[in-house]
Amino acid sequence: MKLKPFVDPLPIPRILKPKERTKDKTYYEVTMRQIQHQFHSKLPPTTCWGYEGQIPGPTIEVEEGENVHILWKNELPDKHLLPVDHTLHGSHEGMPEVRTVVHLHGANVDPESDGHPDAWFTNGFAKCGPRFTQKVYKYPNNQPATTLWYHDHALGITRLNVYAGLAGMYIIRNEQERALNLPSGIYEIPLVIQDKTFNEDGSLFYPSNVENPPPEYPPVSITPGFAGDTIIVNGKAWPYLEVEQRKYRFRILNGSNERFYRMRLDSGQEFIQIGSDGGLLPRPVRLEEIVIGPAERADVIIDFSNQPAGTSIILTNTARTPFDFGQEPNPLTDGRIMQFRVIPRTSEDTSSIPQFLTNIKRFDECDIVRTRDITLDVGTDKYTRLLFLLNNHDFIDGVTEDPAAGDIECWRIINAGLGVHPIHIHQVQFQVLDRTPFDTAVYNQTGRIRFTGEPELPPANERGWKDTVQAYPGQITRVAMRFGPYTGRYVYHCHILEHEDHDMMRPFDVVERKCIPVDSCCKK
Ligand code: C2O
Ligand code: CU
Ligand code: CU
């Protein structure tokens, strides 16, 4: 299906209204429904799944520290919209086909409200997964102002549920950020970037198997990753947005299953990145190009004030798919994401881009209580299919990571493979410490790490809080985080959803700290 780009205006998801707001609690209800959504004016309506019947879901806006409760309701049909692979954990025969559970990505919440993949529930809570404990999730929002997102996380079908439409934005605001006088109101716009492929009749296409599957494969099989040929922003294919000659703030989310975006403006303009996954950066960073992997966010300002009215500017994408291998550049999508059309300003632009945004205290190596190695592994499963793992364990293997609440740990993500994996850890926002190249041939043969270069500090736009990090092949990426205050079961995983479902996701436990280390400083 060939669709003409820049035909439809960019929709802005509405802000969800709470059902009830008292001085100590804000209560929302969000219902998942099957709906018809038109992704392009020349495309017949598409059957998909949306929170509150919307693609993407409505934006939830809260204040730092606001006590938010949300009842997530499933009113979906019991037959899945997309081909279910019954060989994956969580979706074997006998399990309800349509299971949902909502995860607020990037939030520091207790495990009961984190949306554990096994805390799923079906329509009307008729059936619930083994880790289901409550219907109403609690979000204390005790974290800096930032852009989070909520999405489905049901075991074995996360890729299908998110692709079917179950994703939306969640914004935390605070006074400190308001005082910065960044572009706001109608000049602050969320951009949820996803990719889809449509059949001629407008229905969603998602592959039911690899091309020419070998006879050992199950009839419906997960693939190592799926990238759609149509880029969708806020629910429209290649939309356009009229922008005044002034500054805008865009909260960009990569909500795709596996596609990365290597973004540029074809006007040659720079992005001014002000925030990452977990909040504002210490200072604005000017960039010609920004690369975001699945689940990552980039909070940017684009200044259109020097662009003549009538100019059109394209937000382009040159990322290879799958990232760093496959055909180049960016097969199938024309390399375009959306278009900006510059129009005259309607009023003075009084917003500013301050030199300093926020204070971020870097973790001190001396405060790291423990370092763990997390290897990214590729093997095959019993059907001979490609299987991605973490530390060579699958999801149902027992817990091997058990950080204590309050402790700062360093996780070394060791990627001796060929692709970039966006690695996400629940409960925390972390800091990227550095990336060091190592000899993968030696490592793959002997398991020994031989560094081939000096550690490289993260670029300026990665010196803020992150919850998802691009782990490049041939490099060891080190992140550091403080766990807690909550204890209990969480997960970490690759955010390429096909990897997460098969089986690049692991449980971890945050445990009570046993004793306070007397002297945690490294005096080696
Ligand atoms: Cu965005 Cu575990 O998820
Ligand atoms: Cu998450
Ligand atoms: Cu991966």
Side-chain angles (χ1 to χ4, degrees):
M1 180 112 238
K2 195 76 201 124
L3 295 169
K4 210 163 152 242
F6 319 136
V7 173
D8 296 286
L10 175 84
I12 314 279
R14 73 182 168 93
I15 311 285
L16 187 66
K17 284 209 178 53
K19 273 247 140 78
E20 198 188 327
R21 178 173 265 148
T22 60
K23 66 174 192 317
D24 44 31
K25 196 177 80 190
T26 311
Y27 174 74
Y28 293 92
E29 286 182 7
V30 179
T31 306
M32 300 165 230
R33 272 190 227 106
Q34 179 159 306
I35 44 146
Q36 300 289 312
H37 177 88
Q38 201 170 8
F39 284 94
H40 187 280
S41 47
K42 286 279 144 57
L43 193 69
T46 303
T47 304
C48 42
W49 293 355
Y51 292 109
E52 288 296 287
Q54 267 178 255
I55 306 282
T59 301
I60 299 174
E61 276 203 14
V62 308
E63 196 62 19
E64 179 182 346
E66 185 175 351
N67 183 26
V68 170
H69 290 198
I70 305 181
L71 170 62
W72 301 101
K73 290 196 285 188
N74 172 340
E75 288 182 7
L76 296 167
D78 24 85
K79 189 94 193 75
H80 211 290
L81 199 58
L82 302 167
V84 174
D85 177 344
H86 291 289
T87 68
L88 302 180
H89 288 314
S91 51
H92 42 263
E93 294 297 345
M95 291 291 265
E97 203 172 87
V98 178
R99 295 165 287 115
T100 57
V101 60
V102 186
H103 170 58
L104 178 54
H105 179 120
N108 181 234
V109 297
D110 76 52
E112 262 76 69
S113 295
D114 191 49
H116 187 283
D118 259 330
W120 51 262
F121 49 92
T122 61
N123 188 323
F125 298 100
K127 291 207 177 99
C128 301
R131 289 203 165 262
F132 177 89
T133 55
Q134 57 188 14
K135 293 180 182 173
V136 177
Y137 275 21
K138 301 177 181 70
Y139 304 103
N141 300 299
N142 286 320
Q143 60 191 94
T146 193
T147 310
L148 305 179
W149 64 301
Y150 59 98
H151 63 79
D152 193 77
H153 217 303
L155 189 62
I157 50 171
T158 294
R159 71 191 182 293
L160 306 177
N161 289 357
V162 173
Y163 187 77
L166 296 177
M169 263 203 188
Y170 187 104
I171 295 173
I172 304 179
R173 300 186 180 279
N174 66 16
E175 275 313 319
Q176 188 210 341
E177 186 188 88
R178 270 189 284 270
L180 295 174
N181 188 35
L182 299 164
S184 63
I186 57 168
Y187 305 111
E188 181 199 327
I189 294 174
L191 301 178
V192 180
I193 308 178
Q194 302 181 298
D195 56 341
K196 312 248 177 253
T197 295
F198 300 99
N199 299 310
E200 286 297 323
D201 63 358
S203 60
L204 273 181
F205 170 82
Y206 188 89
S208 58
N209 216 320
V210 296
E211 263 175 69
N212 307 313
E216 315 74 275
Y217 274 38
V220 173
S221 175
I222 192 166
T223 68
F226 176 66
D229 61 10
T230 306
I231 304 300
I232 308 294
V233 188
N234 295 352
K236 286 287 175 203
W238 294 296
Y240 72 86
L241 174 69
E242 284 191 343
V243 290
E244 296 178 24
Q245 294 167 299
R246 54 160 291 142
K247 297 188 287 298
Y248 278 77
R249 176 181 186 181
F250 295 102
R251 297 173 183 260
I252 305 176
L253 158 69
N254 180 349
S256 303
N257 280 32
E258 82 151 354
R259 191 182 279 284
F260 284 66
Y261 298 91
R262 184 176 286 273
M263 302 179 292
R264 277 177 182 265
L265 294 161
D266 74 347
S267 52
Q269 272 173 278
E270 289 174 321
F271 302 98
I272 302 155
Q273 190 171 348
I274 54 168
S276 55
D277 305 342
L280 291 168
L281 294 168
R283 46 183 63 81
V285 182
R286 297 182 163 269
L287 294 160
E288 263 168 33
E289 184 173 271
I290 297 178
V291 186
I292 45 170
E296 285 188 297
R297 284 86 73 207
D299 196 342
V300 303
I301 289 173
I302 303 178
D303 190 352
F304 298 103
S305 55
N306 291 326
Q307 298 294 331
T311 317
S312 41
I313 299 166
I314 295 172
L315 177 64
T316 62
N317 168 31
T318 55
R320 283 176 286 175
T321 300
F323 193 68
D324 259 5
F325 47 92
Q327 305 114 289
E328 190 179 3
N330 192 46
L332 304 171
T333 70
D334 303 322
R336 297 181 281 192
I337 298 172
M338 65 174 290
Q339 184 193 52
F340 300 105
R341 297 182 185 164
V342 182
I343 58 167
R345 230 180 26 227
T346 55
S347 58
E348 205 55 44
D349 180 3
T350 54
S351 68
S352 42
I353 308 177
Q355 236 189 306
F356 298 99
L357 297 166
T358 194
N359 254 323
I360 295 180
K361 196 178 166 296
R362 300 292 296 173
F363 288 130
D364 191 326
E365 295 271 341
C366 287
D367 296 330
I368 292 169
V369 173
R370 178 164 183 172
T371 296
R372 296 177 199 265
D373 284 353
I374 310 292
T375 61
L376 313 186
D377 311 297
V378 196
T380 46
D381 69 3
K382 68 171 183 204
Y383 304 96
T384 73
R385 299 179 295 187
L386 217 51
L387 172 68
F388 296 98
L389 297 174
L390 296 164
N391 281 341
N392 273 309
H393 287 295
D394 69 9
F395 180 68
I396 58 168
D397 285 341
V399 166
T400 45
E401 284 74 42
D402 57 350
D407 278 0
I408 299 170
E409 292 204 353
C410 165
W411 288 15
R412 302 200 303 170
I413 305 162
I414 303 173
N415 186 349
L418 298 169
V420 183
H421 297 268
I423 302 298
H424 170 50
I425 307 171
H426 283 216
Q427 200 208 48
V428 295
Q429 290 287 336
F430 52 71
Q431 292 177 6
V432 182
L433 298 180
D434 49 33
R435 293 185 175 89
T436 315
F438 70 109
D439 190 323
T440 55
V442 167
Y443 181 83
N444 287 329
Q445 272 162 31
T446 66
R448 273 205 318 275
I449 292 166
R450 209 183 73 205
F451 290 114
T452 54
E454 290 300 310
E456 222 184 279
L457 291 175
N461 64 331
E462 271 189 330
R463 304 230 181 145
W465 295 106
K466 295 280 296 164
D467 54 45
T468 307
V469 67
Q470 296 174 30
Y472 305 133
Q475 299 197 8
I476 294 182
T477 304
R478 294 198 314 147
V479 300
M481 56 256 155
R482 185 194 294 277
F483 290 93
Y486 311 103
T487 56
R489 177 65 52 87
Y490 295 89
V491 297
Y492 69 97
H493 57 88
C494 177
H495 221 289
I496 291 177
L497 300 181
E498 286 77 15
H499 296 187
E500 170 180 344
D501 278 347
H502 185 224
D503 217 42
M504 210 174 198
M505 174 160 70
R506 293 280 298 143
F508 74 93
D509 280 340
V510 179
V511 300
E512 211 81 57
R513 201 198 252 158
K514 281 174 205 77
C515 58
I516 292 131
V518 185
D519 181 9
S520 62
C521 193
C522 47
K523 293 203 185 89
K524 287 170 277 179

